[in-house]
Structure formats: C-alpha cells, structure tokens
Amino acid sequence: MAKTYLQRVKKALRKNTLNRYRDIYLKWYKKNRVLKDTVLMESTHGTDFYGHMLFIAKEILTNQKYEGKNVYIAVEKSKLNVVKDRLKHQGVSIDDPNLHFVLYLDDKYCELLARAEYLFNDTTFFDFFIKQSFQIYTNIWHGTPLKKLGKYTGSVRTMANVQKNFYSADYIVVSNDYTKEALIDSYNLAGVYRGKIIVAPSIRNSVLNNVIVRNAVRRRYNLKGKNAIVYMPTWRGSATGTVFENKQVIETVKYLDASLKENQIVFLKLHPFEAEQHQIDYSAFKHIKEFPTDCETYDFLAASDQLITDYSSVMYDYMNTKKPITLYVYDKEAYYASRGCYEDIEFYPFPKVRNKDQLLKSLLEENKAKYIDTEFQKKFVGLDQFNGAEELLEFLFERTSEKKLHLQSYEIYNHKETVIMCVGALWNNGITKALINTFDAIDTKKRNYVIFFARKNLSVLNEYILFNLPKGVTFYPVPGKILADLKERVLVRHYSKNEWFKFPGSKKIVDGVYRREYRRVFESLKPDHFIHYTGFERKYAEMISAVKGLPLKTSIFVHTDMNAERLNRGSSISWKMLTNAYNSADNVVLVSQQLRKDFEKTFPKTRGKIKIVNNFLGSKLIRENSKESLFTTLLGVPVTYANNTGFEQKFNKLLGHSYVSKNLPSVSQYRSIINKHYLKDSQNFEKLFPFITKHFDEFRTAIETKEKKYFSANNPLVYTMSEISGMYSKTALRVMESLFDPSVKVYVTIGRMAKQKRQDRIIEAFTQIHRINSKTRLIIIAPHGSLRKETINWIKNSTCSEAIFLLGSMSNPYGVLKASDAFLFSSEYEGLGLVVFEALALDKDVITTYLPETVEVLGEKTALVSKNDDQDFVNKAILYEKHGFEKEMFDFAGKDDQSIVEFESLFK
C-alpha cells in the first residue's frame, strides 16, 4: 500500500513539474516575439552534448562569419562541467560572450524554445513544442540506422513524437541516401513532409581523419606506442523497454584482459543507460579501461587504432579512418528477432566473430589488412569530408547554393492536396470497417490521406490495420496533450464535461485553446481538408469549430441516429461540442438519406450543407479476406465465453493432458500456443473431430503458408495430426468442427456487446431455433462492449448454452462468416448496418430487423426483414429455420460507384 501511494505521489509530482514547463513555455509562446540571431542547441534531451551538436556549436562560435549569433546550449546540471571541458578541448572559449549555457527545461530554456530564431536538435523536443513561424528548426539525425526505426520497432506509439518533430522541422539532415529513405518510410514522411531533407557530410565524422586531433588526444591519454582499441557494444534496449547485456560484456573484457598483448588497451564505451545501471570496477583490469567521459567520442575514435562493435551505426562512421573494424555478433539471431534490421550484416565486408576466442584472434592478428570497399563506403560515408559542419552552416545560415557544397536537398512533398482524418482508436467496429472499405474503393493516389488518432488510445491489437493501408494513405499517432495554462485547462475541462457550462466568453477561450492544439499537431502539414470521420471524439469536434476561418475545408461524418446515440450513451457524448461542429463544418456528412429528416430537425443550422455519402460496402475486400482458412482465422482467437462442460469430459478422456514443446526460437512467440494439450493418438482425435480430420491437408497448408509469410521460415515445422488439439482452444475446435460439418446449421452475428446491438434478441431467437433443430449453432463475434457481463449471462441462462460460442476480437472474421449458413442482425438503430452487406457479399442468408437506413439500400428480397420488434424477429428466425428464404442478389458495383461520386463531392 505504501509503495503504491509513493508511486502515485511521484507520478503527481512529475505531472506537476511537466505542467510547470508547459506553462512557462506557453507564456512565451503567446508573446510571439523572436530573439533574432539566437541559436538553441540540444542533444539527447539535455543528457549530454556531443557529436553533431558539439561540432556545429564549435563552428558557429569559432567562425567569424557567425560572430553575431548567440549560442545557447541546453544541458542537465550534472553534465554542465563535462560539456564545458569538452568545448575547451575543441578550442572554444567558455568566456565567449556569445556562448551561453541553460539548464534543460528550466525557465530560460522554455523561453528560448518559444523565441530562438534557430533551433538545432539531434533527437526531439518535447511534445508541447509548437514551431513559431519565425523559427528555423534543423533536426540532425544522430546516425545511420541498421536497426528498424519508427513504425517498425514493435509499437507505433513510440514513433509519435519523432514523427511530430520531423513534420515540424524545416530541415532534416542525414549523411546518406540510405538513411534518408529509412526515415521517410519509417516515420511516414512520404508525400506530406513540407520541409527539406538534406543529405550532407556527417558532421561528427569530419574529425575522424584529423591528424592534429589524433595526436593531441593520444598525448592527453598517454597512448604513445599503444594499440588503442575501442569497444562500443550496442544497447539492447528499446523505446519501450531496457535489456542489459552487462554480464556478457564483463565476461568478454575479462577474457580479453588476460590474453591481449602488452601494448593493447581496450576502451569500453557502454550505452549511458547501461553505464548507469551497472558499474564496472576498471581498476581490476590491466588492458581494459573506461572510455574517457571528458573527451568527445569522435575525437577519441580519431585517436584509436581499431574498433569492436556489433550493430551500431559507429561501424559506418569508422570506415572513414580505414582502420580495422570487427563485429562481435554473439547474439545476432536473437537480436535480429527482437529488433528487426534493415540489412543483414552477414554480407558486410567486416570480420564477424561469434565468440570470445574468435574475437581475441581477430585482435591479435599481425598486420591486419585495412578496410577498403569503395562501393560499400560510398553508400554510407561517400559524402564525408573535413568541412562538414562548415558546409552545412553555409547552407542553413548563408543560403549558399548546394551546387557549391558537398550536399543535396530533397523536397518530399508531392504537391497533392492533404486530407487529415480523425479515425478514433480503430476499434473493430462498423466505422473502422467503413473507413477501410472507403480506402479500398477510392483512388488514394489522388490526394495525401493522413489518418490520425491519439497515441495513448491505440490498441496494439489494432495496429495491423495501419500496416495494410493502401498507397497514398499514411498514419499519425498524435503525441502529448493540449497545451494550455491552468485557467484554460480548468475551463476546457468543465466546458467539455458539462453540457450546462456555457458562460459568456467561455467558448472563445476554448476555441483559442483548440486552435492552438491544431497548430501544435497539424499546422506543419498545411492540410487542405480536415475530416472528422468517426464523428464522436469531442476534442476534434470542437477543433472543427475552432479552426473555422482558416484556409481549411472541414467535414464531420454522422454514422448513426444521433438522437438514439444521445439516449444510449449519455454523458459520453458532448452534445454541445457536436452541435458546434455540425454548425461550423463546411460539410456535415450523413451515411444514409434516411438520417436526414430527423437530423435537420435536431440541427436546423445544418440545412444546406448536408451531404449524403453512402458507406462503401467493400464487397471485393470481404470476398478476398474470406479466402483465409478457418485454421489460421481461428488460431489464437480469444474466447469470451463458451459452455464446454459436457464436451470437456469427453475431450479429456480421449485426448489427455500431456504437453508438447517445439524448439523453434525464431518463431517462438507465434508457436507458443502449441504448448497446450496434444493427442495420445490421432484415432481418438478423428472420433471427436471427424470433419476437422478430413480437412487436415488444408490445415497443414494454411499453417505453413502463414509461417512463410510472417517468419520467412525456409523449413516450416511439419505438423502431425497429433498436434492440432495443442494449437487451438477446445472452443475453437468445436467451432471449426461445426463449420466443417454439413449436417450442422451455423448462424453468425457480428457486433460489439452494446445495448444498440441487441444480442439478447439474437440469443432468444436462436434458442427458439435450437428447439426446432438441435443441430444448429450460434457464433457471436463481439470484439468489445459495455454489456460483456450481461451477454455472458444471457447465454448461460438460455436452454442451449452449449450450442452458443461467444468469441472475442478477430482481425479477419470473414472466413467464419463464409463457412456459416445464415447471418443474424438485430440492432435497434444504425446509420447503415454495414455487416449486413458483408454477409450478402459472401452470399449468406440474412435475417435483419427493419432499419430504414439499411433497408433503403437493401431493396426488396435481398434479406429477410423483421419489424424492429423482439417477437417478430424471433418469428422471422423460426420461419427461416423451417422454410428457408429465396433471396435476390445485391448490386454491389452500382452502390460503390455511387458512393465514390458522393465521397468526391466533399472536396469540391
């Protein structure tokens, strides 16, 4: 209890401290006054000051052309003296009146962040930063990446603030085309980034061949006659976690210390996080020393004689020296599996060693050949030369033509219209499906579409959607929170939470806050259109009202009956903010003509700007997705509830409780589900699941195809019949057996567990069906919802609970839907029952309640329609079970063509 309380106190203190920084920054931001010829420089969030930033600072402070510029270096207090000493060794006078030091995140730093004319960073500024119109922001990327970046690191959340900083930057500086392309792809810059990417000589690399620096550093650290070896292991952590390899490093240096030649010294440079967590007693070693903390890293590399590293970008930089490089890659397979890399270092022309013996042998070799590979070197350090910092500043400060310099600028913006779209958390629901269908149907190359969502709201389970977007559509996880002072925060909170809060002047202040939020997040993209696609998030609803008057066309979608939503969802909807948005937007977009009458009556000011854009039905995409095998569709799918009581005894009796383990580390996460029950013999499995057994060849093909796609498995595991039951839950096996069995009639429904969806009505209807035909099953696919407990109880209390399966989220439910016999849809209201048309696309019989918006599109005889009444829905379900239903085919092509024309009207 005490620990929990302490954690809450610490969290509150951190929050208050950050709010203080925000408030100070905001005070100066509002003043909007530039400090001319003022340069704010920051490296690694103030934890140090080295590399590119150090040499840029040196060039500004020692070159007479820039004597009028005031340089402010932001650094943490604990590093201040170290940075001052480092500058002294670079020949920079600490007493220079143009040189100033500010403590990172103190009051002066916050002022400079809002006012300095020039901003330099090698990582990111805090997410509250908003680049002023008078500021020039240069982000110098800190190295050539081998490890995957941005969206490829395992969670798109981690890329958010870097992406925001890149969008804000006037210049992104890299040292080769390889890095340029990696950043463009990894941080979603293609087509939409408005600044320039500069491919220039690596600034920190300029010193690597400086003989004067080399000799000075060797004298300073008594390296005469010594063979100085630098060992720089990569940090095994990530943006979301920390992994320490200190034990392996200590074992390695101990081994080397006992065997190196008399004149050899290894200088060990750990990542700062490693060094802080695990202290090493260097006094115990003869040949091992700590990398000097009072010397700039690249100055010391210039003084060294060879390098040991693994997956670090320093390998590329060090090529400039033509000195030996050894890659110590004892954990390559595990590292590549956990991080992902752009290239395979097996094809790199450096010696690669896997153990301590090989490493030692590499270091002891006499007259080791120097590294020479012209093409490889050209790819990574082809532009590097002595005056890297000088040339970059000539370009940035003096606007010297790049033709006279060893650099090239690239414009990434494609000059198409940019559309930003609020898409919520991409929950597995009808609105998300409608969005996916839209992008599948329209020409996404015509404009730049940027879908955005709050970083903190996106579930990892939904990230797969982002990696399947078509060309022309990208995504932006929005970092941070609204920048507002205390008074504004209180007012915005009351305004958004309380319908009654409408005091004079309050909306003006709120709109000012949201207009500032628009500038914080989106202004750098200079969007032409702002579409609130989900139509509910109050923050972005109010933003539509706030940006009225800007050169920006705004639209807000209405996917359902808003009066019914207000009754059902209560205070979770801000009626006031939605009304503001509807009244202010250029387009109010209804997904059905049937919604219009009541909507105009409720919101009379929207008359004249309502547009109807019928949802795209996505039939082609649905049919394509439905081709996936049930064996992979149901692999690992969560089961919310199933009554397996009667089945359990038979299963355990025939199949037992043994365990199987497969030693396949490269796909261990995927195959961990194998470590469940497996069969004593396949004959028992055939008794219990005869129809799954008949599809065993399909099972093997589907699983192996999945492995090859996701894991590049050259030698897939050969599965046997005795392992199938170890890969699936009992419920999944029962579901598959029912779907494969031609004598069983399977009904399916898909929708969240919410009052609107009326699963209770479906369960009651199926109960009556099951009384008529015991060989019927009901599969409910419900990814989430507020009525989870109630839904489970409805199933438990039915008389056929063993015939009902309640499944959780499925990324692709269409294989299950295709294999079923009929689809049940019982909503009380909808904008458009999109899932009805998904079922029709797969030629399923549909029983649905009468929903004007849906029936308007359906037409006659394509579905069996009941009144929006419990008993009539049950009656129609019974009628269908007894006599079936002859349906007419639905014209999907015609509807989608109409929807494309309607959607395009939003941009006219």
Side-chain angles (χ1 to χ4, degrees):
M1 181 70 72
K3 183 178 180 180
T4 304
Y5 175 76
L6 183 60
Q7 289 172 338
R8 288 203 302 268
V9 170
K10 288 181 177 179
K11 184 177 180 180
L13 289 173
R14 284 195 299 270
K15 182 178 179 181
N16 289 337
T17 302
L18 185 56
N19 281 338
R20 179 178 174 276
Y21 301 148
R22 292 172 181 272
D23 289 346
I24 296 169
Y25 171 78
L26 180 57
K27 178 186 74 173
W28 290 106
Y29 174 83
K30 287 179 177 179
K31 291 180 184 295
N32 194 33
R33 293 206 300 261
V34 61
L35 287 171
K36 292 288 292 181
D37 291 321
T38 298
V39 183
L40 174 63
M41 305 191 70
E42 177 184 322
S43 177
T44 60
H45 303 292
T47 58
D48 210 334
F49 194 78
Y50 57 88
H52 299 315
M53 294 297 104
L54 181 73
F55 293 116
I56 286 286
K58 173 186 177 180
E59 181 64 26
I60 297 173
L61 293 164
T62 58
N63 192 323
Q64 290 185 349
K65 291 189 294 187
Y66 310 124
E67 62 180 355
K69 291 192 166 39
N70 284 292
V71 176
Y72 287 82
I73 294 174
V75 65
E76 289 181 354
K77 187 175 182 179
S78 61
K79 291 286 185 177
L80 188 56
N81 290 331
V82 172
V83 172
K84 287 181 177 180
D85 287 342
R86 200 172 285 159
L87 284 164
K88 286 178 184 177
H89 287 295
Q90 294 296 324
V92 175
S93 171
I94 301 304
D95 298 322
D96 188 329
N98 292 328
L99 173 60
H100 314 274
F101 295 93
V102 292
L103 296 182
Y104 182 64
L105 288 179
D106 74 354
D107 293 10
K108 185 64 177 177
Y109 169 87
C110 293
E111 178 190 352
L112 290 164
L113 186 58
R115 299 186 62 196
E117 183 179 9
Y118 299 98
L119 302 171
F120 286 86
N121 206 324
D122 62 5
T123 44
T124 61
F125 292 116
F126 253 109
D127 55 40
F128 59 71
F129 165 68
I130 309 173
K131 190 177 81 71
Q132 304 266 35
S133 59
F134 53 74
Q135 292 182 310
I136 300 172
Y137 174 18
T138 302
N139 190 296
I140 305 178
W141 191 249
H142 44 266
T144 297
L146 174 65
K147 299 180 288 292
K148 291 288 185 73
L149 300 171
K151 62 189 179 189
Y152 301 117
T153 57
S155 173
V156 300
R157 295 183 181 194
T158 62
M159 70 184 283
N161 196 39
V162 181
Q163 186 176 356
K164 176 185 177 296
N165 269 256
F166 280 165
Y167 284 163
S168 300
D170 296 280
Y171 303 102
I172 301 171
V173 182
V174 298
S175 57
N176 49 59
D177 287 324
Y178 163 85
T179 304
K180 171 175 71 75
E181 295 304 318
L183 295 189
I184 290 171
D185 179 36
S186 301
Y187 293 101
N188 294 339
L189 306 182
V192 298
Y193 171 56
R194 294 297 191 108
K196 290 185 176 181
I197 296 186
I198 312 299
V199 179
S202 176
I203 297 162
R204 67 190 181 194
N205 289 356
S206 299
V207 74
L208 289 175
N209 288 310
N210 190 317
V211 177
I212 296 174
V213 171
R214 173 179 169 82
N215 291 338
V217 173
R218 289 184 72 85
R219 285 194 301 271
R220 180 179 170 190
Y221 295 100
N222 299 315
L223 297 180
K224 184 178 181 180
K226 302 292 185 182
N227 182 250
I229 305 165
V230 172
Y231 178 22
M232 298 178 67
T234 299
W235 180 45
R236 265 60 174 180
S238 68
T240 56
T242 303
V243 179
F244 295 110
E245 286 290 318
N246 192 258
K247 182 179 179 181
Q248 177 69 33
V249 170
I250 291 176
E251 289 179 358
T252 298
V253 296
K254 280 183 178 179
Y255 179 80
L256 295 179
D257 189 58
S259 306
L260 287 173
K261 295 179 181 179
E262 187 64 29
N263 71 326
Q264 289 183 307
I265 304 174
V266 173
F267 290 88
L268 175 61
K269 182 173 176 57
L270 296 175
H271 188 281
F273 292 164
E274 290 261 22
E276 288 175 11
Q277 294 289 329
H278 297 276
Q279 300 297 321
I280 296 177
D281 181 11
Y282 289 92
S283 65
F285 300 119
K286 180 180 179 182
H287 295 280
I288 312 298
K289 291 187 178 182
E290 182 178 13
F291 191 96
T293 58
D294 57 350
C295 183
E296 205 288 322
T297 300
Y298 278 64
D299 282 1
F300 197 85
L301 286 174
S304 68
D305 299 294
Q306 57 180 303
L307 172 71
I308 309 167
T309 187
D310 37 41
Y311 320 104
S312 171
S313 65
V314 72
M315 76 172 91
Y316 306 110
D317 300 342
Y318 202 75
M319 282 192 291
N320 283 281
T321 68
K322 304 293 192 299
K323 297 169 187 173
I325 301 170
T326 301
L327 303 185
Y328 182 33
V329 289
Y330 58 87
D331 62 345
K332 183 194 169 196
E333 286 73 21
Y335 186 84
Y336 268 59
S338 65
R339 294 299 303 268
C341 295
Y342 290 107
E343 299 200 328
D344 188 347
I345 57 172
E346 289 300 323
F347 301 102
Y348 278 17
F350 307 120
K352 290 162 282 290
V353 297
R354 301 278 184 158
N355 55 54
K356 299 188 291 290
D357 291 332
Q358 292 176 352
L359 177 61
L360 178 63
K361 182 181 177 181
S362 177
L363 298 179
L364 293 178
E365 286 180 355
E366 297 286 342
N367 301 317
K368 186 173 180 180
K370 293 180 179 179
Y371 168 77
I372 298 176
D373 186 315
T374 305
E375 286 304 312
F376 189 78
Q377 188 165 348
K378 182 180 179 181
K379 177 179 178 179
F380 295 108
V381 293
L383 295 177
D384 287 356
Q385 45 89 43
F386 189 74
N387 297 317
E390 181 180 350
E391 290 209 351
L392 180 62
L393 289 178
E394 282 186 22
F395 179 81
L396 297 177
F397 288 162
E398 302 178 56
R399 299 293 185 264
T400 300
S401 170
E402 60 190 75
K403 294 180 181 179
K404 298 180 180 180
L405 305 169
H406 297 86
L407 56 79
Q408 186 170 355
S409 66
Y410 294 86
E411 184 178 299
I412 307 303
Y413 177 54
N414 59 18
H415 296 277
K416 297 178 182 179
E417 284 189 324
T418 296
V419 183
I420 57 174
M421 299 180 69
C422 172
V423 298
L426 294 174
W427 293 114
N428 190 355
N429 58 23
I431 293 178
T432 299
K433 290 176 183 177
L435 175 73
I436 293 170
N437 291 345
T438 298
F439 288 139
D440 186 57
I442 66 173
D443 180 4
T444 56
K445 297 178 183 178
K446 192 173 182 178
R447 304 177 186 86
N448 301 313
Y449 292 92
V450 181
I451 66 171
F452 67 87
F453 44 84
R455 171 181 62 181
K456 64 180 181 180
N457 291 342
L458 181 70
S459 168
V460 175
L461 295 175
N462 299 331
E463 286 189 7
Y464 74 93
I465 295 172
L466 304 176
F467 291 92
N468 288 283
L469 295 170
K471 190 171 183 179
V473 184
T474 192
F475 59 88
Y476 180 15
V478 174
K481 62 181 183 179
I482 289 174
L483 179 63
D485 60 31
L486 178 60
K487 175 185 174 182
E488 291 171 337
R489 289 197 296 270
V490 171
L491 195 145
V492 167
R493 179 176 177 80
H494 281 294
Y495 187 88
S496 62
K497 295 290 185 181
N498 301 301
E499 292 293 326
W500 53 265
F501 195 89
K502 299 178 182 179
F503 296 117
S506 60
K507 188 177 188 314
K508 182 178 179 180
I509 296 173
V510 170
D511 281 354
V513 171
Y514 282 106
R515 198 174 302 116
R516 185 189 310 134
E517 177 67 359
Y518 174 82
R519 290 196 295 268
R520 182 182 79 89
V521 179
F522 302 118
E523 191 168 55
S524 55
L525 289 169
K526 297 181 175 62
D528 302 281
H529 300 273
F530 179 179
I531 297 178
H532 193 333
Y533 188 78
T534 58
F536 286 107
E537 285 84 352
R538 61 187 71 196
K539 172 180 176 179
Y540 295 109
E542 189 63 32
M543 188 178 286
I544 282 181
S545 176
V547 300
K548 188 175 178 61
L550 295 181
L552 177 74
K553 194 165 188 177
T554 57
S555 303
I556 182 168
F557 270 68
V558 180
H559 292 273
T560 189
D561 181 336
M562 292 307 298
N563 289 304
E565 282 291 310
R566 187 181 189 184
L567 290 174
N568 272 340
R569 297 177 61 167
S571 61
S572 67
I573 292 179
S574 176
W575 199 249
K576 174 175 54 183
M577 287 178 150
L578 285 175
T579 302
N580 291 339
Y582 296 148
N583 292 340
S584 301
D586 295 299
N587 298 314
V588 177
V589 187
L590 310 184
V591 298
S592 169
Q593 183 68 39
Q594 291 290 331
L595 293 171
R596 186 170 198 147
K597 183 178 179 181
D598 286 343
F599 189 88
E600 284 187 338
K601 183 178 179 180
T602 305
F603 305 101
K605 292 184 180 180
T606 63
R607 290 191 180 96
K609 59 181 178 180
I610 288 178
K611 292 191 175 180
I612 308 300
V613 178
N614 286 278
N615 275 328
F616 292 89
L617 304 179
S619 57
K620 292 180 183 178
L621 188 62
I622 300 305
R623 292 182 189 122
E624 187 63 32
N625 289 339
S626 72
K627 294 177 183 178
E628 183 179 0
S629 169
L630 289 174
F631 288 108
T632 52
T633 296
L634 288 165
L635 193 63
V637 168
V639 177
T640 304
Y641 177 77
N643 181 0
N644 292 321
T645 305
F647 178 78
E648 189 92 23
Q649 292 179 350
K650 183 186 282 189
F651 185 94
N652 292 339
K653 181 179 179 181
L654 288 174
L655 306 183
H657 289 282
S658 300
Y659 290 89
V660 64
S661 178
K662 295 293 177 185
N663 185 23
L664 290 161
S666 64
V667 293
S668 58
Q669 288 185 334
Y670 170 69
R671 290 178 173 161
S672 64
I673 56 174
I674 295 173
N675 299 323
K676 303 271 188 183
H677 303 297
Y678 79 101
L679 304 182
K680 290 178 177 177
D681 59 75
S682 58
Q683 289 182 348
N684 283 340
F685 185 85
E686 188 173 352
K687 291 177 183 178
L688 202 56
F689 302 110
F691 294 98
I692 291 178
T693 304
K694 289 180 180 180
H695 288 78
F696 177 67
D697 287 341
E698 178 191 336
F699 158 77
R700 179 175 284 174
T701 300
I703 295 297
E704 290 181 359
T705 301
K706 192 99 166 179
E707 287 180 4
K708 289 177 182 178
K709 179 179 179 181
Y710 288 97
F711 304 107
S712 300
N714 295 322
N715 298 300
L717 176 64
V718 178
Y719 293 91
T720 65
M721 183 68 74
S722 63
E723 292 162 348
I724 295 182
S725 68
M727 298 178 65
Y728 300 91
S729 66
K730 296 180 181 67
T731 299
L733 290 169
R734 291 184 65 205
V735 167
M736 278 193 284
E737 184 69 9
S738 298
L739 291 167
F740 284 137
D741 186 347
S743 69
V744 175
K745 194 169 186 177
V746 179
Y747 292 82
V748 170
T749 185
I750 303 174
R752 70 185 188 278
M753 292 171 281
K755 184 178 179 182
Q756 168 195 357
K757 301 298 182 181
R758 291 301 306 275
Q759 271 98 353
D760 59 329
R761 183 187 276 172
I762 286 178
I763 292 167
E764 176 56 31
F766 178 74
T767 300
Q768 301 304 321
I769 288 172
H770 194 69
R771 285 176 181 168
I772 299 169
N773 179 6
S774 63
K775 297 208 75 173
T776 52
R777 303 289 182 268
L778 172 63
I779 300 172
I780 303 173
I781 302 172
H784 56 83
S786 59
L787 298 185
R788 183 178 187 275
K789 183 178 179 181
E790 290 83 347
T791 305
I792 292 172
N793 284 333
W794 293 329
I795 297 172
K796 285 181 178 180
N797 295 331
S798 72
T799 57
C800 55
S801 62
E802 287 198 7
I804 302 175
F805 309 104
L806 179 58
L807 304 182
S809 179
M810 295 181 68
S811 59
N812 181 14
Y814 303 112
V816 172
L817 183 56
K818 182 181 179 181
S820 68
D821 296 281
F823 181 76
L824 300 174
F825 192 68
S826 61
S827 287
E828 286 193 336
Y829 64 91
E830 292 283 347
L832 179 70
L834 189 60
V835 71
V836 167
F837 299 93
E838 293 174 346
L840 291 175
L842 298 177
D843 197 26
K844 297 296 109 179
D845 294 338
V846 173
I847 301 116
T848 177
T849 47
Y850 180 83
L851 302 168
E853 299 80 10
T854 302
V855 174
E856 173 200 10
V857 180
L858 273 176
E860 296 182 3
K861 299 183 180 179
T862 54
L864 186 60
V865 181
S866 81
K867 297 176 183 177
N868 202 336
D869 171 84
D870 291 4
Q871 189 57 53
D872 194 51
F873 185 80
V874 171
N875 292 342
K876 288 294 192 298
I878 293 172
L879 179 67
Y880 171 78
E881 178 59 34
K882 288 181 177 180
H883 305 291
F885 170 66
E886 290 189 15
K887 63 180 181 295
E888 295 180 354
M889 298 303 294
F890 182 81
D891 179 16
F892 283 97
K895 290 297 181 183
D896 278 352
D897 288 344
Q898 175 190 346
S899 296
I900 290 173
V901 173
E902 293 168 348
F903 185 79
E904 284 294 321
S905 72
L906 302 182
F907 306 103
K908 295 177 181 178

